[in-house]
Every structure is written in C-alpha cells, then in structure tokens.
Amino acid sequence: VLCGAIKSGNLTEPTVDCIETTKYQEMLKESGWSILEPDDNEVGADISSQFDVGNDETSVGMMGQQPSTDIFWKEIVDIHSPAREDETQRIEAANGWITTETEIPISQLQRMDLFDDDVVDILKRCFSDRFNLDSNAHGSKKFHAEPGRLLHISRICGELAVSRALGDRDFKAASNMPPDRNVDESEDLASVSWDGPFFLDYAENHTRKFLGDVVSSIPETQTFQIHANVFFDEFLLLACDGLWDVMDADDAVRVTRNLIFDKGWSAKEAAARLAELAIHLGSSDNITVILINFRRE
C-alpha cells in the first residue's frame, strides 16, 4: 500500500499553470487511488496530523487552521492468487488445476485481543452499519477482512493458496528432473515435462505430468516516482497475507499514520506494532511487515 497527501485549494504543477484540487482528486481516483475517510472520532477535525515537511512546491504543510490535507492510498500490488485470471491461465497451461474452498474463520474471533484499542476501533468500523454508528462515513466500502466473513480460497492442485513463490519445490520443474538430467541455470524449462508429486489428488484423466513451473518464481515489478508533481508520498507499506487477511488497507494506513506522524514512532517500531496488531486481530499465519517512511525529517 502506498500512502500520500495533497493540500486542498489551488495547486500548481510544473506542466500545468493551475489545477483545482477536486479535479486532481478525481484524476487520482481514476488511477486507482482511494481517499482515506475520516474516522468517527475525527469528524470536524483534519484527519492528518500537523506537520511541516519543507517549503518546496512538492511539499505539503499543515499548521493550525491552514488548508486541510487529503490523504490518499493505493494498493499497488496484485495478489498472487491462483484465482487471478492470468495466473489461472499460466497454471492450467502447465497442466495444473485450481480448486476452490469456502470457510468461515471462526477461530479468528477466538484469538482476538479485545483489550487492544486498535482492535476495537477496527471492529467498530467493520460493524458500524450493524450498530447504527455513522455508517455513511465509510460509503460503500466492503470490509474484506471482516471477522466472520466467508472466505473463498483458491489453491493450486488443491495445495497452495499462492501462485508465485521462491520455495515449493514440489511444483518446480528444475527440482523434479530425473537424476541423470543436468539442468543449466540459463535453460528455459517452460516446455519441459516432468512427473508430478505422488501426493496430489489427480483426476482420473490427468497425465500426472506438468510442463515447466506450476508455481512461478518470477517476481512482478512496478515502478513509481516518489513526490511526483503536487502529490506528496508519505510511506510505503509492504506486508504478507498474515496482515492483510485480518486488516483492510485503509485501516492499516490509518493506524500507520497515527503511529509515525502523531506519536512520532520510527518506521521499525510502527512495522512491529502492525505485526502485533495482526496477531491481536486473530491472524494465525506468518506475518511480515516492511514500512518505508518517505517524509523528510
């Protein structure tokens, strides 16, 4: 998740004489950015902390009653799920298959720490419409990490819920070649046939052979320009599904901004707190959190 801010009012870009904030906001939304809605206890107050980040034209400052700052966030990574259309096509081309199961994570509720104030705040936002709180504050947002929700889990060959990984040798061509077959590191194994692992639940008409890697180790990369034009990027939050399974992106952005900008925590401390919060929200998966703060001190 990438988080950034713009100041309300007229803004000046190097390539445009003058552009209204509302128009720029619409441009951001069309590009996949979402605005961070104010929390229930933030109504009537600016959602960003007061800060001063410099005086150049790309900076955003907030002091006293100066123009408010709108916070935008964007999920910049597509989930490597077997259910993703392009991943499904690649897996099936390798002679693999996709299974889907549905479950309700009841055990997550049992593991929650309701003495954690952040846990309570997140739950209030998830169930605001049911408790007649300010349900309009969150618009039509869908809480994909809501406790008690229906989970639809897609798995490769009934085993793995991820489609790209460095490990999982049982689904890699190079790790399943015959003993007398030497594999060169530069060799393309995409069309090489190999015997699949014995423990899979093969269909009767399946050949029990795969072509190339069923689970890919090739990463997806994206490039972003930081502090571009009038938009001031604040931080980048990278985490695995141990966090995202129990926390929506906007909640993670809200908690992170409070920790590093309001409380003055370091990025390392805030990342550790997010991992702890995931545990308190009932996560039972491995949890990795990386936080990069783009603010200049």
Side-chain angles (χ1 to χ4, degrees):
V1 175
L2 186 64
C3 178
I6 58 174
K7 190 195 309 183
S8 63
N10 288 339
L11 303 169
T12 302
E13 275 186 304
T15 57
V16 181
D17 291 337
C18 186
I19 182 170
E20 293 182 356
T21 305
T22 54
K23 183 177 180 180
Y24 195 80
Q25 290 172 345
E26 291 302 319
M27 292 169 56
L28 288 172
K29 292 178 181 178
E30 291 175 0
S31 301
W33 291 84
S34 300
I35 191 168
L36 186 67
E37 299 291 348
D39 202 355
D40 292 334
N41 59 4
E42 293 172 327
V43 176
D46 190 88
I47 61 176
S48 63
S49 58
Q50 295 184 353
F51 59 90
D52 188 2
V53 294
N55 55 12
D56 63 84
E57 64 182 2
T58 62
S59 316
V60 176
M62 186 65 201
M63 295 295 292
Q65 299 301 316
Q66 293 180 14
S68 62
T69 301
D70 290 323
I71 308 302
F72 283 82
W73 58 271
K74 181 179 183 179
E75 296 183 59
I76 60 175
V77 176
D78 293 327
I79 298 175
H80 295 152
S81 167
R84 210 175 81 184
E85 184 177 359
D86 57 337
E87 295 289 73
T88 297
Q89 293 174 355
R90 180 185 58 76
I91 293 165
E92 292 179 345
N95 208 26
W97 66 91
I98 310 297
T99 62
T100 302
E101 57 195 54
T102 301
E103 66 179 46
I104 301 177
I106 297 298
S107 58
Q108 178 188 345
L109 297 171
Q110 299 171 335
R111 292 189 297 267
M112 282 186 172
D113 182 356
L114 298 180
F115 291 98
D116 188 318
D117 291 339
D118 286 327
V119 170
V120 175
D121 287 342
I122 290 173
L123 291 178
K124 284 181 179 179
R125 284 190 289 272
C126 283
F127 299 110
S128 60
D129 57 333
R130 305 182 191 184
F131 293 122
N132 295 320
L133 299 177
D134 187 10
S135 58
N136 293 325
H138 307 290
S140 58
K141 176 197 167 182
K142 295 182 179 179
F143 298 91
H144 80 267
E146 176 184 342
R149 67 200 180 280
L150 280 178
L151 287 178
H152 302 286
I153 305 173
S154 297
R155 298 185 184 276
I156 295 179
C157 303
E159 293 289 324
L160 297 176
V162 294
S163 56
R164 295 179 184 244
L166 295 177
D168 301 306
R169 295 163 60 92
D170 289 327
F171 296 90
K172 301 292 178 63
S175 301
N176 292 277
M177 292 290 101
D180 57 346
R181 173 74 154 81
N182 293 324
V183 179
D184 186 271
E185 292 184 359
S186 60
E187 184 177 357
D188 184 6
L189 301 177
S191 59
V192 175
S193 177
W194 52 278
D195 295 330
F198 70 90
F199 58 82
L200 295 181
D201 186 16
Y202 297 97
E204 290 185 4
N205 60 347
H206 197 278
T207 62
R208 294 177 177 259
K209 290 182 177 294
F210 297 111
L211 292 173
D213 291 341
V214 184
V215 175
S216 176
S217 59
I218 300 175
E220 290 184 322
T221 60
Q222 298 188 45
T223 302
F224 295 90
Q225 181 179 351
I226 305 303
H227 303 331
N229 300 323
V230 299
F231 194 73
F232 185 82
D233 297 286
E234 294 187 327
F235 59 82
L236 174 67
L237 175 60
L238 299 174
C240 66
D241 54 357
L243 178 76
W244 302 125
D245 282 349
V246 296
M247 193 183 308
D248 286 329
D250 63 323
D251 285 324
V253 169
R254 185 177 284 106
V255 171
T256 301
R257 296 194 79 256
N258 175 258
L259 292 174
I260 60 179
F261 300 144
D262 291 346
K263 297 183 178 180
W265 289 24
S266 67
K268 182 177 181 179
E269 292 171 328
R273 169 55 182 158
L274 287 169
E276 178 187 56
L277 181 55
I279 294 174
H280 290 179
L281 282 165
S283 179
S284 61
D285 204 346
N286 297 324
I287 303 170
T288 300
V289 179
I290 300 174
L291 179 61
I292 303 173
N293 186 357
F294 296 133
R295 284 272 193 91
R296 293 187 296 272
E297 297 298 336

